[in-house]
Amino acid sequence: MMLGYDIDFHDIFPLLTFEKGEEQICRDNLQLRGIYLYKQVYSALCNWGVNIKEISYKLFSNLIRYDKSIRDKLYIYLAAAEEHLRNIIFDALEIDNVQIDTTNEYLDINALRPRTRADKHEYSNLYYYSYAKNFDFGLIIQIFDKFNLAQKYGLNHSDITSVRILRNKVMHHNMLLLSCFTERSDIERVITEVESGIEALYRILPTNELREGSVRNGEIVGGLTQAINKSNYPNGDITNTPYDNVICLHKFANGSFIH
């Protein structure tokens, strides 16, 4: 028996309405996403407004796809930010001993030291410890703290912490904008937290192309700003009418969300 094919949608989701063929699509997608995620999204939409009479499958499906789209796009820019922070560490610090195979080692941050003029500019022992078992975002923050790298490189320590929190939310593959909640007040708080993390991510990204994109053939392509806005506005243009996304991020411009 296929999961979800024996459930009574009208009993579990009494306000969910379908156009022709949509109920079958909903059942098919249930195999991937699971009934518990469906129930959370349904409950969140029921609680979002007052005296909700029906929830169209389009609205329901849009929220799931929108949230996944935001997570997928953020992953790219979170990776770029983490790479930037790692490169700062390699630029600023060095370690005197290096193993041939660092994948089986743990980096001891007490063995790190500031780079000096005696260190070859084009070579880094420390770089190879980026393959160490414990070289993760948590260790990156510890190294930044120990050597005061945020201030030295013009970054805010609070931004790095916010990006770490956002990164953890994205990597867990749960609904980003809902977290574990279904009540509107809780979801609005989560959205505010996510937006704060995205603003911090924007400030950490090292180039304007990563932050705002670049112009190609007269159109802006790439960039965190476009990535966020494209999920809710045609071509990422916030002057357009938004798509039918009820629970979503606000407009994003110049590194800030517009409420």
Side-chain angles (χ1 to χ4, degrees), residues 18-246:
F18 301 95
E19 299 292 335
K20 184 177 180 181
E22 286 183 340
E23 184 169 343
Q24 185 61 49
I25 294 173
C26 186
R27 289 178 180 273
D28 290 342
N29 289 337
L30 183 63
Q31 307 304 313
L32 172 66
R33 292 164 176 156
I35 190 171
Y36 306 113
L37 182 146
Y38 267 35
K39 185 63 177 178
Q40 181 191 12
V41 172
Y42 173 80
S43 297
L45 289 171
C46 286
N47 295 333
W48 193 253
V50 178
N51 296 324
I52 300 295
K53 302 298 182 183
E54 67 175 42
I55 297 170
S56 69
Y57 174 69
K58 179 181 178 182
L59 188 67
F60 174 84
S61 177
N62 277 357
L63 175 53
I64 296 173
R65 290 187 289 107
Y66 173 80
D67 196 276
K68 180 65 163 58
S69 172
I70 292 293
R71 280 180 279 139
D72 288 346
K73 291 170 181 175
L74 283 176
Y75 180 88
I76 297 171
Y77 295 96
L78 286 165
E82 183 171 350
E83 185 174 27
H84 176 51
L85 297 176
R86 287 156 61 107
N87 286 334
I88 286 176
I89 291 173
F90 304 146
D91 180 69
L93 306 174
E94 182 58 294
I95 191 169
D96 290 319
N97 298 314
V98 64
Q99 302 297 319
I100 294 176
D101 183 2
T102 55
T103 60
N104 294 315
E105 299 292 323
Y106 288 88
L107 175 62
D108 178 6
I109 65 174
N110 293 316
L112 301 180
R113 61 168 176 79
R115 287 181 67 90
T116 68
R117 291 184 179 181
D119 296 307
K120 293 182 179 180
H121 181 71
E122 73 278 7
Y123 190 81
S124 168
N125 288 330
L126 181 55
Y127 165 79
Y128 290 95
Y129 272 94
S130 64
Y131 295 89
K133 288 183 176 181
N134 65 329
F135 202 100
D136 55 17
F137 210 101
L139 188 70
I140 288 172
I141 291 181
Q142 291 180 46
I143 294 172
F144 265 74
D145 286 346
K146 180 177 177 63
F147 292 93
N148 198 26
L149 294 183
Q151 183 176 2
K152 290 178 181 178
Y153 283 81
L155 300 175
N156 294 321
H157 182 269
S158 60
D159 283 346
I160 299 174
T161 301
S162 294
V163 166
R164 182 191 185 188
I165 294 171
L166 178 64
R167 179 185 181 277
N168 289 342
K169 290 177 181 290
V170 170
M171 297 301 179
H172 286 163
H173 305 293
N174 295 322
M175 292 291 292
L176 180 65
L177 303 186
L178 303 185
S179 185
C180 61
F181 303 110
T182 59
E183 294 295 329
R184 178 164 182 160
S185 59
D186 294 320
I187 296 169
E188 288 177 331
R189 174 172 51 80
V190 170
I191 290 175
T192 298
E193 293 170 354
V194 169
E195 290 179 342
S196 178
I198 294 172
E199 290 172 346
L201 174 60
Y202 179 95
R203 290 189 290 269
I204 285 179
L205 290 172
T207 67
N208 190 64
E209 184 173 0
L210 284 169
R211 294 188 295 267
E212 294 289 345
S214 58
V215 178
R216 298 178 188 173
N217 298 322
E219 294 185 0
I220 298 176
V221 296
L224 177 64
T225 298
Q226 284 290 99
I228 295 300
N229 288 328
K230 271 189 173 181
S231 293
N232 205 32
Y233 295 89
N235 299 317
D237 184 352
I238 58 177
T239 64
N240 288 332
T241 301
Y243 297 129
D244 189 16
N245 297 319
V246 174

